[in-house]
Amino acid sequence: MKVGLALGGGGVRGLAHIPVLETLDELGIKPVAIAGTSMGSIIGALYASGKSGSEIRESVESHIVRKGDRLADVYRKRSDLIKWMKAFRPTAGSAGMIQADGLMQYLLEALGADSFEQLQIPFQAVATDYYRREQYVFKTGDLLTGIRASMSIPGVFVPVEHHGRVLVDGGLTNQVPHDLLPDDCDVTVAIDVSSDCDPEETKSPSALDALLSVFDIVVDKVVESKLKEQPPTIYLRPSLPGIHMLDFDKIETVFELAEPAMKELKVKLEKLLDA
């Protein structure tokens, strides 16, 4: 059974993709193709490079202080924690609030691959051409350029200039890029980690929250349109209430909230395997 995997963007919510990968590993399913947007491009590239779901989880958990960590555990992680803090640095420019060079350097070490061609699984990363207002798909060439462009949320991360184009986050044009997976896939799995909005909320958002919420509203409309045009075999949207795009202090909560959706995914995949 040929399985294609599409991993959507959503900031820290995108770490819910890691339990998805662990589920695939548990079932012995290796995707024949992966497409990712924003955080989905980061997780997708790591998986396509040959890392298992559990290895990616272990790497993430080594860069955070978990609820049950003792002082000795934090001390043991100190070098990784410092790397993570240095990964994001503010910029004085007007194109974005955060420069992602540190994160790119960290990824380079973790990936062990410089180009798309060096990956073990064919992989595509989706960005958006800011001025042409269309998606731009990376599938060859420099890997980190593609990932950096795919995750450049307008107003938050600095855009990427590439071959005469100004590229920003792929979610603006293709948040869950299942339509890019090969036609010969028997099964396409699309994981959408877009935000959950609380209609009962009455508190006024901060300037940053308002910016990110507008981004989420646009993204939701893009996903809705794509699903109508070309529905995947399995579409899954884990419920991640209260998790905002940049809530990197809630990584453990993301993993916990994703578990019910992973059980659902496992049941659906097992049925397809049996068939």
Side-chain angles (χ1 to χ4, degrees), residues 60 69 76 83-84 101-102 127 138 147 212 220 222 234-235 238:
V60 169
D69 280 351
R76 188 170 59 253
K83 280 184 184 178
W84 189 245
D101 293 356
F138 288 87
I147 296 173
L212 296 177
D220 276 348
V222 172
I234 296 175
Y235 169 78

Side-chain angles (χ1 to χ4, degrees), residues 26-177:
E26 182 183 346
L27 296 175
I29 296 173
K30 183 175 181 179
V32 297
I34 302 172
T37 296
S38 201
M39 182 61 84
S41 74
I42 297 176
I43 303 300
L46 287 167
Y47 196 60
S49 73
K51 294 188 179 298
S52 67
S54 60
E55 286 173 333
I56 298 172
R57 181 193 284 260
E58 184 178 334
S59 177
V60 169
E61 290 182 341
S62 72
H63 292 81
I64 62 173
V65 177
R66 302 176 64 191
K67 295 173 185 174
D69 280 351
R70 299 166 299 172
L71 185 59
D73 298 320
V74 176
Y75 183 77
R76 188 170 59 253
K77 295 179 181 180
R78 67 191 184 283
S79 62
D80 287 331
L81 290 170
I82 291 170
K83 280 184 184 178
W84 189 245
M85 286 187 288
K86 288 182 176 179
F88 300 95
R89 61 186 179 89
T91 177
S94 59
M97 294 183 291
I98 300 174
Q99 189 78 260
D101 293 356
L103 176 60
M104 293 301 102
Q105 184 58 42
Y106 167 72
L107 277 175
L108 181 62
E109 297 172 5
L111 282 167
D114 298 321
S115 68
F116 283 81
E117 291 85 348
Q118 291 176 343
L119 297 173
Q120 296 182 20
I121 301 173
F123 171 67
Q124 300 178 75
V126 181
T128 297
D129 187 312
Y130 180 80
Y131 289 108
R132 291 178 175 86
R133 300 185 180 185
E134 62 187 16
Q135 74 174 4
Y136 185 89
V137 181
F138 288 87
K139 50 187 174 183
T140 60
D142 185 68
L143 183 58
L144 290 186
T145 299
I147 296 173
R148 186 179 163 211
S150 182
M151 58 169 276
S152 293
I153 303 168
V156 178
F157 291 102
V158 177
V160 172
E161 296 183 16
H162 177 71
H163 292 174
R165 296 172 180 259
V166 176
L167 302 176
V168 295
D169 194 286
L172 288 169
T173 48
N174 201 347
Q175 170 76 338
V176 190

